[in-house]
Amino acid sequence: MAALQGKLALITGASAPEGIGRAIAMRLAEEGACVVVTDIAQRISVDGVETTRTAMLEDLAEGIRTAGGEALALPLDVTSEDNITEVIQQVTARFGRLDILVNNAGSLAGSDNFLSTTAVQWSASFEVNILGPMMLSQAVIPHMRAQGGGRIINIGSTGSLGAEAGFGAYTAMKHGLVGMTKTLAAEFGPDGILCNTVCPGYIATDMHKAANVRLAGEQGISVADMKRQRYANVALRDAGLPRDVANAVAYLAGPEANYVTGINLPVTGGVPFGI
Ligand code: NAP
């Protein structure tokens, strides 16, 4: 039997075509989980074509169903407590359970030279990177407790473990996320709820590519040179794939991780964590 058969997983920030959230949803569905894929309802442009994140989520859910899996797409802004309450009520009423929460949505707001960043940017970073996972955890834990356990997997970063110049707010928040995850592991272990952080390094997603372009511009070098410079510190000398992170999440969500809680699992290709 597939490892996650009969389990219900909810993943935030899952719409981006090359994103980590999408890869996680597909990977958990492959393991038999029914996946609720969510993202902020927002208009975006992909390769010059106007669309919405909700339409992209619908495509993802449809793709999973076509491959024989079960999926539901719902808009969810992780900074809105009302939206969280509404979505968790909808999901638990419809499926009768909630086994796995993956807090994947993230924001690079306030990623700049430290002195240029503003309190508004730091607050925006806090809302998406910490407050969202905190409010979602509060919403799902009573359901997990009532059903005898569950898994909360937070997507951190190497910025959870060390620091690279130019990512102050993000690094502070991703460190904070680890603190929250460890607290949840300690507090809800007795209820059978396991909480861990997966810490991706350089993963070739839209967010990462945008950071490469920004840093190249700041240093007045080409994006290719920027990549060579950044990946020189990676033992495997390249960025990873969203699927590499999804494999780590599938492990932590599944029965092989039954005795694993409170850890940070780096998926980095071997990268020093900076300072
Ligand atoms: P991504 O493609 O930008 O995915 C993040 C998603 O979160 C986007 O769809 C984003 O929407 C969404 N989001 C932003 N604010 C939200 C909100 N308020 N409510 C719900 N969703 C919201 O980025 P990714 O690279 O796949 O990153 C996924 C996770 O991995 C993040 O937590 C990130 O910090 C972490 N990570 C990534 C890397 C990497 O190299 N890519 C490395 C380390 C850690 P918008 O784009 O519209 O804001």
mmCIF file of all heavy atoms in Angstrom, residues 13 27 35 62 70 157 169 187-188 194 217 264 271:
data_model
loop_
_atom_site.group_PDB
_atom_site.id
_atom_site.type_symbol
_atom_site.label_atom_id
_atom_site.label_comp_id
_atom_site.label_asym_id
_atom_site.label_seq_id
_atom_site.Cartn_x
_atom_site.Cartn_y
_atom_site.Cartn_z
ATOM 1 N N GLY A 13 0.823 27.795 -0.452
ATOM 2 C CA GLY A 13 1.735 28.381 -1.445
ATOM 3 C C GLY A 13 2.105 27.404 -2.545
ATOM 4 O O GLY A 13 3.256 27.349 -2.976
ATOM 5 N N ARG A 27 4.151 14.937 -5.004
ATOM 6 C CA ARG A 27 4.868 13.819 -4.363
ATOM 7 C C ARG A 27 3.990 13.131 -3.308
ATOM 8 O O ARG A 27 3.944 11.901 -3.225
ATOM 9 C CB ARG A 27 6.147 14.383 -3.727
ATOM 10 C CG ARG A 27 7.075 13.368 -3.118
ATOM 11 C CD ARG A 27 7.755 12.522 -4.174
ATOM 12 N NE ARG A 27 8.596 11.508 -3.547
ATOM 13 C CZ ARG A 27 8.132 10.349 -3.093
ATOM 14 N NH1 ARG A 27 6.864 10.028 -3.235
ATOM 15 N NH2 ARG A 27 8.941 9.474 -2.520
ATOM 16 N N VAL A 35 -4.695 15.482 -1.460
ATOM 17 C CA VAL A 35 -4.016 16.757 -1.181
ATOM 18 C C VAL A 35 -4.951 17.939 -1.420
ATOM 19 O O VAL A 35 -5.637 18.012 -2.437
ATOM 20 C CB VAL A 35 -2.715 16.921 -2.015
ATOM 21 C CG1 VAL A 35 -1.660 15.930 -1.567
ATOM 22 C CG2 VAL A 35 -2.961 16.778 -3.494
ATOM 23 N N GLU A 62 -6.199 19.311 -11.105
ATOM 24 C CA GLU A 62 -6.691 18.523 -12.233
ATOM 25 C C GLU A 62 -5.620 17.522 -12.693
ATOM 26 O O GLU A 62 -5.912 16.361 -12.970
ATOM 27 C CB GLU A 62 -7.085 19.487 -13.379
ATOM 28 C CG GLU A 62 -7.742 18.845 -14.581
ATOM 29 C CD GLU A 62 -8.959 17.998 -14.230
ATOM 30 O OE1 GLU A 62 -9.701 18.363 -13.296
ATOM 31 O OE2 GLU A 62 -9.144 16.953 -14.894
ATOM 32 N N GLU A 70 -6.103 12.143 -5.690
ATOM 33 C CA GLU A 70 -7.238 12.939 -5.198
ATOM 34 C C GLU A 70 -6.715 14.313 -4.821
ATOM 35 O O GLU A 70 -5.721 14.414 -4.075
ATOM 36 C CB GLU A 70 -7.782 12.290 -3.921
ATOM 37 C CG GLU A 70 -9.033 11.476 -4.100
ATOM 38 C CD GLU A 70 -9.611 11.147 -2.729
ATOM 39 O OE1 GLU A 70 -9.073 10.214 -2.100
ATOM 40 O OE2 GLU A 70 -10.561 11.808 -2.309
ATOM 41 N N SER A 157 14.744 27.014 5.519
ATOM 42 C CA SER A 157 15.731 27.421 4.510
ATOM 43 C C SER A 157 17.106 27.223 5.135
ATOM 44 O O SER A 157 17.217 27.027 6.356
ATOM 45 C CB SER A 157 15.506 28.908 4.209
ATOM 46 O OG SER A 157 16.611 29.475 3.563
ATOM 47 N N ALA A 169 15.548 40.094 6.763
ATOM 48 C CA ALA A 169 14.215 39.790 7.302
ATOM 49 C C ALA A 169 13.912 38.305 7.125
ATOM 50 O O ALA A 169 13.467 37.621 8.055
ATOM 51 C CB ALA A 169 13.158 40.634 6.590
ATOM 52 N N GLU A 187 5.665 20.450 22.608
ATOM 53 C CA GLU A 187 4.362 20.609 23.256
ATOM 54 C C GLU A 187 3.345 19.547 22.811
ATOM 55 O O GLU A 187 2.506 19.126 23.605
ATOM 56 C CB GLU A 187 3.836 22.012 22.942
ATOM 57 C CG GLU A 187 2.901 22.550 23.991
ATOM 58 C CD GLU A 187 2.751 24.069 23.917
ATOM 59 O OE1 GLU A 187 3.755 24.779 23.671
ATOM 60 O OE2 GLU A 187 1.616 24.540 24.087
ATOM 61 N N PHE A 188 3.433 19.116 21.555
ATOM 62 C CA PHE A 188 2.376 18.235 21.039
ATOM 63 C C PHE A 188 2.868 16.825 20.718
ATOM 64 O O PHE A 188 2.095 16.021 20.203
ATOM 65 C CB PHE A 188 1.684 18.893 19.835
ATOM 66 C CG PHE A 188 1.049 20.209 20.230
ATOM 67 C CD1 PHE A 188 1.641 21.408 19.877
ATOM 68 C CD2 PHE A 188 -0.095 20.223 21.014
ATOM 69 C CE1 PHE A 188 1.087 22.618 20.290
ATOM 70 C CE2 PHE A 188 -0.656 21.423 21.432
ATOM 71 C CZ PHE A 188 -0.057 22.630 21.062
ATOM 72 N N LEU A 194 3.893 15.199 15.168
ATOM 73 C CA LEU A 194 5.320 15.341 14.900
ATOM 74 C C LEU A 194 5.538 16.599 14.058
ATOM 75 O O LEU A 194 4.823 16.812 13.069
ATOM 76 C CB LEU A 194 5.833 14.110 14.131
ATOM 77 C CG LEU A 194 6.128 12.841 14.941
ATOM 78 C CD1 LEU A 194 4.942 12.402 15.789
ATOM 79 C CD2 LEU A 194 6.541 11.707 14.006
ATOM 80 N N GLY A 217 22.225 41.939 -10.493
ATOM 81 C CA GLY A 217 22.063 43.369 -10.771
ATOM 82 C C GLY A 217 22.819 44.212 -9.761
ATOM 83 O O GLY A 217 23.522 45.169 -10.122
ATOM 84 N N ASN A 264 15.743 19.734 12.030
ATOM 85 C CA ASN A 264 15.899 20.512 10.792
ATOM 86 C C ASN A 264 16.546 19.569 9.792
ATOM 87 O O ASN A 264 17.622 19.044 10.067
ATOM 88 C CB ASN A 264 16.855 21.687 10.971
ATOM 89 C CG ASN A 264 16.466 22.560 12.131
ATOM 90 O OD1 ASN A 264 15.292 22.829 12.326
ATOM 91 N ND2 ASN A 264 17.442 22.984 12.912
ATOM 92 N N VAL A 271 25.912 22.481 1.585
ATOM 93 C CA VAL A 271 26.267 23.895 1.547
ATOM 94 C C VAL A 271 26.588 24.355 2.966
ATOM 95 O O VAL A 271 25.911 23.965 3.917
ATOM 96 C CB VAL A 271 25.103 24.722 0.926
ATOM 97 C CG1 VAL A 271 23.914 24.834 1.831
ATOM 98 C CG2 VAL A 271 25.542 26.098 0.486
#
